[in-house]
Amino acid sequence: MVEPAERPSTAGQRLSAPESYGVSTLEPGLRPPTQAPGRQVSIRVQLLDDTQEVFQISQRSPGKVLFDLVCVHLNLTEGDYFGLEYQDHRKMTVWLDLLKPTLKQIRRPKNTILRFVVKFFPPDHTQLMEELTRYLFALQIKRDLACGRLICNDTSAALMVSHIIQSEIGDFDETQSWQHLLHNKYLPDQDAIRDKITDCHRKHVGQTPAESDYQLLEIARRLEMYGVRLHPAKDREGTKLSLAVAHIGVLVFQGYTKINAFNWSKIRKLSFKRKRFLIKLRADPSQSAHHDTLEFTMASRDCCKVFWKICVEYHAFFRLFEEPKPKPKPILFTRGSSFRFSGRTQKQIIDYAKDSEFKKVPFERKHSKVLSNFGMSPQSSSFRSQVPKEGAMIEDQPDSSRLGHQAVSNGSEEPPAATSSTNGFHDTDRQNHNGNGPAPDPHFLNPESPGSEDSPAGSPHAVVNGNGSAHSQGMGGVAVLGQSPERQQLSPLTSPLLNDAGCVRHDDEEEARRKFPTDKAYFIAKELLTTERTYLKDLQVVTESFQSAASKEETFPDSVKTLVSSSYDPIHKFHQGFLKEVEQRLAQWEGRSNAHIKGDYQRIGDVLLKNIQGLRQLTIHLQKHSECLVELERACRSSRKVEAVCRDFEQQRVCYLPFYIFLLRPLHRLLHYKLILERLCKHYPPTHDDFRDCRAALADISEMVLQLQGTMMKMENFQKLLELKKDLTGIDNLAIPGREFIRLGCLSKLSGKGLQQRMFFLFSDSLVYTSRGMTPSNQFKVHGQLPLYGMTIRESEEEWGVPHSFTLFGQRQSVVVAASCASEMERWVEDIRMAIDLAEQSSSPNTDLLSTSLSDNKLTEDGGADLESEEELGGSRSSLERQGHRGNTTVHVCWHRNTSVSMVDFSVAVENQLSGNLLRKFKNSNGWQKLWVVFTNFSLFFYKSHQDDYPLASLPLLGYSVTVPSESENIHKDYVFKLHFKSHVYYFRSESEYTFERWMEVIRSATCSASRSLPSTRKDLY
């Protein structure tokens, strides 16, 4: 494959890459392609680090074989961004066609050197998953600067060169930096700005080579000449121009100034005829009905054809969902060119990155004297510091990445105590777990790693909250809480949560299980017990943990502390007594006393009736909970210190949900009592001893729910607006009276750059679209809003050729969006039409959601004005980016799972809360592991026991499917359900048919988003 005789070591060996681990860029996951038989020919390729390698290919091999050999040689997974260029016999620089035989394109292979260079320049470099890919892009930028192709002002040029020098020689040393600039040429006129380069370099202390690559690409992508390759031409008047192609479409330059751009969405057809290059545009409805045709004259027909081909490839790479299929061969004669793009499109690369894992490929930087950190792949982000340190911050995991597999034990930890025998499972002995296990295997630190998918610690994980845990931005699976990244002496092999050895059950132990009551009423009562335990823990978050944090801050208003204390402490005290009574009754029901023989205690209605009557006396406190929410938010807005207290508290592990949700828990608990009593009344015959008490308790609790229903609906909407406010940047006045949240979720927006993933937020008066920011806070950056008043909506799949697409026609602009599937499109269209009707019926004036700064700047889809100066690049971070807001909220889950959630779904989720013991099993593991599981807020939270104060892990369920295992899966147990999302599979086992049905019911409510539209009043939900 590579000639070893020419030099002592191959490039792969020099880059410390294992020879047998290459990945074909066109066939992901495969070994180098099999070559056709025949005589071998040597082809010389110059790489981006200026080294040359010789590859052996067959005479009849297509260009794809040679290109794959180069990518395999470099261990490059994202090779589709690159290409091989060479000078043909006409002295024209052309790209190697991957479908045609190589030797039919290169007539004199011995005298031709192919260059491996960047072919497709993406608008957002954070879409590049691997550090190696970013390094190669940085080398391309370095080459373009040196040859004068990348034109920019002196400030940007000096800043980029300073990052290149930082990656090559490390931190600033005046003598060393000066000597390095004397012996290396980075710019054609480098001497004129040498002082400015050194001034920039001295500011990069501590910056790693990978961080320098990121900063270099961040600056370069904002330049007008980024990725531009000029092709000389003339217009009809004979004016000298240059044509270029980019991700957005065809560009026209006069000199080095862009004077026009034709977006792909506006271009109907590209063609050439002899020396004339033709651009046919779509008709503009606002002007004449005829199609405009622009004509440019190039030097020759060959020049036209070369430019036309690269246009075809750019359009396919950035705009198509998949590689275009070849045209059928004509029977009689051919018309036109059969040329087509070959390779994965950008969407396929991003989807592949979401569904697969990238191995960390160690490599050396040829020109760098700095030790490269080999762990800069996205999946290792949880075990390193955040990068970079200036300008826009890189996210821990890019859009297309998933949750890292990080199972982190808590150092030295004792096994959990045996839980109460009120559960239906037999506790087996658990071995002690300590932190002295072996070092983490690489499979445990990379998502979807081969061989570890079904191992206990190989399951996908993400962090629940930010305190003492690493942030993971992808949403592929379970989230694990552990210690902070600074304390890495942790072994995933000893995790008490993820190690099956910690709780393996055997068949003989199955026989030894204690026999419990089989009556359905018993399991309904047990659901009351398990959910009451979780509810009491949630109350303690407010009455103990939060009040303790607030008392440490002197500036925290005493009035707010008193209000929260007086409103929640009586509720907490009451439910402590209620829980004790329920636990006592269940113990008697299960036979742990002689009372069950008489049958006096095999009921729960009397306990519920007594305590619900007592709870009615606390209605005055329940009515104050809305006031607590409003006053606390007001205090946060008026004092930064109070806001910091609340923000820091949300980062603690005990606050596993947004804090304001805990404030609404007492109101939500009334709904749970009502549903439990409805199931009891439905189960009991009218003659049963417990029926009368249950019916009386149901009447009392229904009256309370009806009394507090209005407050509950308003507070749910207010809480949701406040939660979204933390996820969005660029919005000043989201939570205003009269505004209702309706739906949030992912849609693809059609723009000049093609289909781009955007997060949409539908409110009762406007539709806001955003993209996820590249900051530690991972907030979503607002790109624009569409007022609903006067908006119309039209399905436009046939018009644009994009599946599941529809067009929104606003008063000021129109937007074309596409949903991920037909059902998602139906939900969005239905909700938007309903919201439009509400907006037109409303008499309140429209309120501009965008902040003043964004409105003044008229932020566009392209991200606003380009920033080139060092001051602008370094000062673009807002204070919000340093807040450390959790990156696994419902908004982020929807972003990564490409789905949506409505306010109806949130309301249904409030009712469908459940907790209890479950046995969990991975796909290929042998034992079942006993866990305390809490389902709330579309997620499963895992604990060792119900006594734990915070969860060890979580599993967001949006996008998952819940089914029953098939016979082929060999799960020979009763009451088992299966959760699966792509390659992630989990089995859960419940104790009875009733609990099995309840878990299936509540999980389906999260995995199958409600398709109902939001009614004008949601009384039917209560």
Side-chain angles (χ1 to χ4, degrees), residues 765-833:
D765 57 352
S766 62
L767 179 66
V768 177
Y769 55 96
T770 67
S771 64
R772 199 178 67 160
M774 304 295 107
T775 68
S777 60
N778 289 299
Q779 290 176 298
F780 285 81
K781 181 181 179 181
V782 176
H783 283 271
Q785 75 168 111
L786 299 170
L788 295 182
Y789 187 82
M791 178 184 287
T792 58
I793 184 171
R794 184 181 71 198
E795 298 183 12
S796 51
E797 183 172 338
E798 295 182 0
E799 179 182 355
W800 296 100
V802 179
H804 319 306
S805 62
F806 54 96
T807 305
L808 303 170
F809 298 93
Q811 292 181 336
R812 289 180 291 183
Q813 68 177 119
S814 300
V815 174
V816 180
V817 294
S820 59
C821 60
S823 59
E824 273 292 297
M825 174 183 167
E826 182 181 348
R827 292 167 194 159
W828 274 106
V829 171
E830 185 178 358
D831 281 353
I832 292 174
R833 283 175 174 162

Side-chain angles (χ1 to χ4, degrees), residues 120-182:
F120 302 108
F121 290 81
D124 187 357
H125 60 282
T126 59
Q127 295 170 342
L128 306 176
M129 296 292 99
E130 291 191 321
E131 181 185 350
L132 174 59
T133 312
R134 293 191 290 271
Y135 168 61
L136 294 176
F137 265 75
L139 290 179
Q140 182 68 61
I141 299 300
K142 175 183 173 183
R143 175 177 293 183
D144 290 350
L145 279 171
C147 69
R149 180 182 285 173
L150 184 56
I151 306 298
C152 59
N153 58 39
D154 289 348
T155 303
S156 296
L159 193 54
M160 285 191 287
V161 172
S162 69
H163 286 299
I164 295 173
I165 297 174
Q166 175 71 20
S167 69
E168 293 183 353
I169 66 174
D171 291 344
F172 176 76
D173 177 90
E174 189 165 359
T175 303
Q176 185 183 16
S177 299
W178 195 260
Q179 290 293 326
H180 192 77
L181 281 171
L182 286 176

Side-chain angles (χ1 to χ4, degrees), residues 457-497:
S459 58
H461 304 303
V463 175
V464 176
N465 57 40
N467 182 37
S469 59
H471 283 271
S472 293
Q473 310 308 330
M475 293 291 157
V478 184
V480 172
L481 295 181
Q483 297 190 359
S484 60
E486 289 84 75
R487 300 179 61 186
Q488 297 179 21
Q489 309 300 324
L490 306 173
S491 172
L493 301 176
T494 60
S495 169
L497 174 66

